[in-house]
Amino acid sequence: MAKPDVSPDGTIGIAAGIAPNGAFEVSIRHRGKSLIDPSPAGILLADHPFGPLVETGRTRLIAALGCPGERISAREKGPRGRAVILETAACDDGAAFRVIVPGHPSEGVWRVTGESTRFVTARNDACLGVRHEKFFNSHEGDYKPVRLRTLKHDDLYDLPLTCATGREGETYALTESNIENYAAAYLTGTVSGNAVSVRLTPRPDDDRLAVVLPAGEKITTPWRIVMIADRPERLVENRMVQRLAAPSRIADTTWIIPGKAAWGWWSGLLAPDVPNAGHNMATYRRYIDFAGRMRLRYYVIDQGWASKPSGPGQPADVLTPAEGINVPELVEYARRRGVHIWLWTDWTSLDGRMDAVLARWQGWGVAGMKVDFIYRQDQAVVGFYHRLLATAARHRILVNMHAAFVPRGLETTYPNFLTQEGAMGNEYNRWRRKVTAGYDVRAAYTRATIGPMDYTPGGFRNVTPAAFSPKAPAPEVMTTRAHQLALFVLYPSPLTSLADAPVAYRSADGRWAPGVAFIQQVPTTWDETHGIAGAMGEWIAVARRNGERWYVGAITDSAARTVTLPLVFPKNGRWKVRAWIDGKTPSALGDRTGKVRAGTRLGVPIAANGGAALVFERP
């Protein structure tokens, strides 16, 4: 293997070449020590598998934003002599590689069964990962502790898999970016137990195959990414998934405006002051009024607005509103209050008529669409994402995907893709006890590190886990009010929908409830991010800057603790700070103000299942 390419700061190196068995091989080092031992990288074909390779040349490569790497060209030995390319990138926050097979028209059709790609290590790292039992799933689950060598070869672990090496705070996460004309991957164990293997999602029409392409087209795997940090909380700063994605395909993005949204599904469209509240114009207007008064940019109208299906299992008619619902009238009512409307649809309702639906919605003045019940990440569905996001951009419609696969950089390629699920969020409190404070912490170290996460924070019916009971409408959350506020900072989402009903954000005397002031001011996009403190899977504190203000969110699991926040993120001088911290009950808040100096430390008490939200600004 040749001399490694090294990141600009000199801490990360990636070396690649051809192993003695004739296959591509990659290794990654961090601060002079092996992180990923020599590991195979390759594509497996059903017809005429690739034979041993021989290297034919190397070209220097600057992959993305100054990450140096190489393009290693190779050719099969023997009469076919097909070309294969391996590209690498060494960034200050990780390393990545991908395999490219140029088009070979004489082959007829590429039929890819999987990859030989693995991540080999001699360590038994302590990881956080979410395991699924089948390929067809909502990509919602708990990132639970698991040892690397206990992963089985038939497991299906979703991305990312976040692991601590045990060498001080060294942590890495395995994920992928820039997916097109390809199947999304899971991670599995291996029979030998010393590696994590890439397993492509099979096609629904033939589970022996993952990718089928005309052989005249090239095969390009996603970038296989190893995000790396000296401390686990610093993974939240990582932007490799976004940097290695294909650049924006939308020339004019001035119409793409992030923001917070009112949302009625979680609370059951609860509106005590509206007679017969539900899927009707009066209730929708009530939520629009709330959005305007809260200074929210959007109102997301969820399932129930469209004509009912014609039969069991039939998709909704999203070209025709339900009886009594007038979408253009709602759009105009909202516009006069500075609010814009999103509409829900299941993804099958768009099948075969995507352009017609979006043209109709654009004519109504709809700002965005929430696309639900996808459950897949095979090659066909990856193609659906690209078609939908491109079509929505032509109609100037923003997009949120639900029951969707986790981020793979598509929000960079299509900036109208504001957020996506692929995570358990507050919705689970309607029917399960799974969204605990511990889960929220683990999600911050895993799912929240790779891209937008539509968790829907802001549950204001806060109770202890002992008092919690799943219910709907008016669900509760088993975390504190301050914990819920902190999630607005911890989980990135340019579209952030408030979970609760308008009535939940008012006190009995009609005034805004404690904590609303923070929600009203917290932004949904950020200029700078720092993971400032934490212990993996136990607690975390993250600081994000928007303009001249810094926002900090800190949460803990079921253990109460006083955390120390190093004030390394604000620049020199004194800062005014306002902090919303846990009170004596889960729904109580302490509202504190004071002044601090940059470079010092700030102690913050956090209750069990609790948190803290802080705002720093110049006096």
Side-chain angles (χ1 to χ4, degrees):
M1 204 175 291
K3 183 179 178 181
D5 289 291
V6 179
S7 61
D9 68 0
T11 62
I12 294 170
I14 182 169
I18 297 176
N21 66 358
F24 280 131
E25 190 175 63
V26 176
S27 64
I28 297 170
R29 298 181 68 83
H30 179 226
R31 297 198 179 278
K33 296 180 180 179
S34 175
L35 185 70
I36 302 298
D37 295 339
S39 303
I43 293 172
L44 303 175
L45 298 178
D47 310 308
H48 310 299
F50 288 108
L53 303 177
V54 58
E55 185 175 317
T56 58
R58 292 181 179 242
T59 305
R60 300 298 302 166
L61 179 69
I62 302 297
L65 298 182
C67 299
E70 283 187 307
R71 178 180 289 112
I72 303 169
S73 299
R75 189 170 295 278
E76 284 181 291
K77 296 178 182 178
R80 286 188 177 275
R82 293 171 297 188
V84 188
I85 296 166
L86 179 72
E87 292 186 343
T88 65
C91 306
D92 290 341
D93 50 0
F97 60 91
R98 66 179 177 179
V99 177
I100 300 171
V101 180
H104 292 269
S106 62
E107 292 292 314
V109 176
W110 294 125
R111 302 199 317 148
V112 178
T113 60
E115 292 188 24
S116 60
T117 304
R118 294 182 178 183
F119 300 91
V120 177
T121 176
R123 303 177 309 274
N124 189 18
D125 295 335
C127 305
L128 294 174
V130 55
R131 180 184 178 275
H132 299 297
E133 295 184 353
K134 53 186 180 181
F135 290 104
F136 183 86
N137 67 80
S138 65
H139 302 280
E140 299 163 7
D142 192 350
Y143 288 83
K144 294 182 178 180
V146 60
R147 282 285 178 176
L148 201 64
R149 289 190 177 180
T150 65
L151 271 63
K152 298 179 176 62
H153 73 278
D154 56 353
D155 283 339
L156 296 174
Y157 275 86
D158 219 331
L159 306 178
L161 183 68
T162 300
C163 302
T165 65
R167 299 188 299 219
E168 297 181 344
E170 184 181 54
T171 313
Y172 65 94
L174 305 178
T175 192
E176 65 182 4
S177 177
N178 195 28
I179 187 168
E180 188 168 9
N181 297 322
Y182 208 76
Y186 291 96
L187 298 173
T188 73
T190 57
V191 175
S192 63
N194 70 336
V196 176
S197 181
V198 170
R199 185 168 184 184
L200 301 183
T201 304
R203 293 171 59 93
D205 59 347
D206 187 345
D207 62 9
R208 297 168 300 177
L209 300 175
V211 177
V212 176
L213 283 173
E217 298 183 18
K218 69 179 179 180
I219 307 172
T220 304
T221 74
W223 284 99
R224 305 284 168 225
I225 296 176
V226 183
M227 299 159 51
I228 304 171
D230 291 323
R231 291 281 309 161
E233 65 271 13
R234 294 200 62 192
L235 284 176
V236 301
E237 306 169 16
N238 200 288
R239 297 284 295 170
M240 287 192 71
V241 172
Q242 290 70 39
R243 288 202 309 274
L244 292 172
S248 174
R249 295 174 183 174
I250 302 176
D252 176 16
T253 59
T254 56
W255 56 276
I256 300 173
I257 304 176
K260 297 186 288 287
W263 179 52
W265 181 88
W266 187 71
S267 63
L269 284 171
L270 191 67
D273 52 347
V274 176
N276 303 312
H279 296 287
N280 55 55
M281 295 290 282
T283 307
Y284 291 159
R285 290 192 192 101
R286 175 70 182 89
Y287 276 75
I288 292 169
D289 291 341
F290 163 70
R293 290 169 185 149
M294 274 283 284
R295 303 194 297 274
L296 308 178
R297 182 171 180 82
Y298 298 112
Y299 171 42
V300 178
I301 302 179
D302 214 293
Q303 185 177 15
W305 70 270
S307 293
K308 292 183 178 180
S310 57
Q314 297 296 313
D317 180 6
V318 293
L319 286 169
T320 308
E323 184 177 353
I325 303 298
N326 187 317
V327 174
E329 184 179 313
L330 287 171
V331 168
E332 176 57 23
Y333 184 86
R335 185 194 64 79
R336 294 198 299 268
R337 287 153 180 81
V339 179
H340 305 267
I341 297 296
W342 286 58
L343 293 179
W344 174 95
T345 177
D346 60 288
W347 80 289
T348 56
S349 294
L350 301 172
D351 191 25
R353 56 176 186 171
M354 187 184 295
D355 199 72
V357 170
L358 295 184
R360 176 74 58 86
W361 288 17
Q362 183 182 25
W364 288 345
V366 171
M369 64 190 309
K370 181 177 180 178
V371 185
D372 209 346
F373 302 141
I374 302 171
Y375 282 89
R376 289 167 48 187
Q377 60 173 25
D378 52 82
Q379 181 190 10
V381 166
V382 170
F384 169 83
Y385 272 62
H386 279 271
R387 292 194 307 276
L388 175 64
L389 295 170
T391 304
R394 290 198 300 273
H395 293 286
R396 297 202 163 198
I397 289 180
L398 307 172
V399 180
N400 174 8
M401 298 285 206
H402 262 230
F405 61 69
V406 302
R408 287 168 165 88
L410 287 172
E411 70 275 16
T412 297
T413 310
Y414 304 97
N416 59 322
F417 188 13
L418 290 192
T419 194
Q420 62 194 105
E421 205 176 30
M424 286 199 307
N426 259 336
E427 66 173 4
Y428 270 73
N429 289 292
R430 288 172 57 112
W431 62 82
R432 298 288 291 273
R433 296 182 58 89
K434 297 180 71 171
V435 180
T436 63
Y439 160 75
D440 287 347
V441 173
R442 292 188 291 273
Y445 284 101
T446 51
R447 172 61 181 81
T449 67
I450 61 171
M453 177 176 167
D454 190 20
Y455 177 100
T456 64
F460 265 35
R461 293 178 187 82
N462 312 96
V463 298
T464 65
F468 175 81
S469 178
K471 63 180 180 180
E476 300 166 334
V477 295
M478 50 183 145
T479 53
T480 68
R481 181 76 54 85
H483 183 111
Q484 288 288 313
L485 298 183
L487 298 180
F488 283 85
V489 180
L490 286 168
Y491 298 155
S493 187
L495 172 76
T496 302
S497 296
L498 278 61
D500 229 322
V503 66
Y505 298 108
R506 293 283 188 183
S507 298
D509 60 5
R511 288 187 286 185
W512 290 120
V516 166
F518 178 81
I519 294 176
Q520 287 176 322
Q521 69 168 288
V522 66
T524 65
T525 57
W526 307 101
D527 301 317
E528 190 176 351
T529 295
H530 294 285
I532 57 174
M536 186 165 157
E538 298 177 10
W539 70 279
I540 189 170
V542 174
R544 300 187 194 267
R545 180 180 61 83
N546 180 285
E548 297 299 317
R549 285 179 174 168
W550 282 95
Y551 296 79
V552 173
I555 60 173
T556 185
D557 56 12
S558 58
R561 62 187 87 230
T562 295
V563 304
T564 300
L565 306 182
L567 303 183
V568 295
F569 50 92
K571 302 302 180 184
N572 298 332
R574 295 180 65 83
W575 290 75
K576 181 172 67 174
V577 59
R578 183 177 180 184
W580 290 262
I581 61 175
D582 291 317
K584 293 182 178 180
T585 66
S587 59
L589 278 175
D591 191 341
R592 305 284 187 267
T593 59
K595 291 184 179 179
V596 296
R597 183 173 293 278
T600 60
R601 292 177 176 269
L602 181 65
V604 179
I606 302 181
N609 311 297
L614 304 92
V615 180
F616 295 77
E617 56 188 340
R618 291 290 189 185

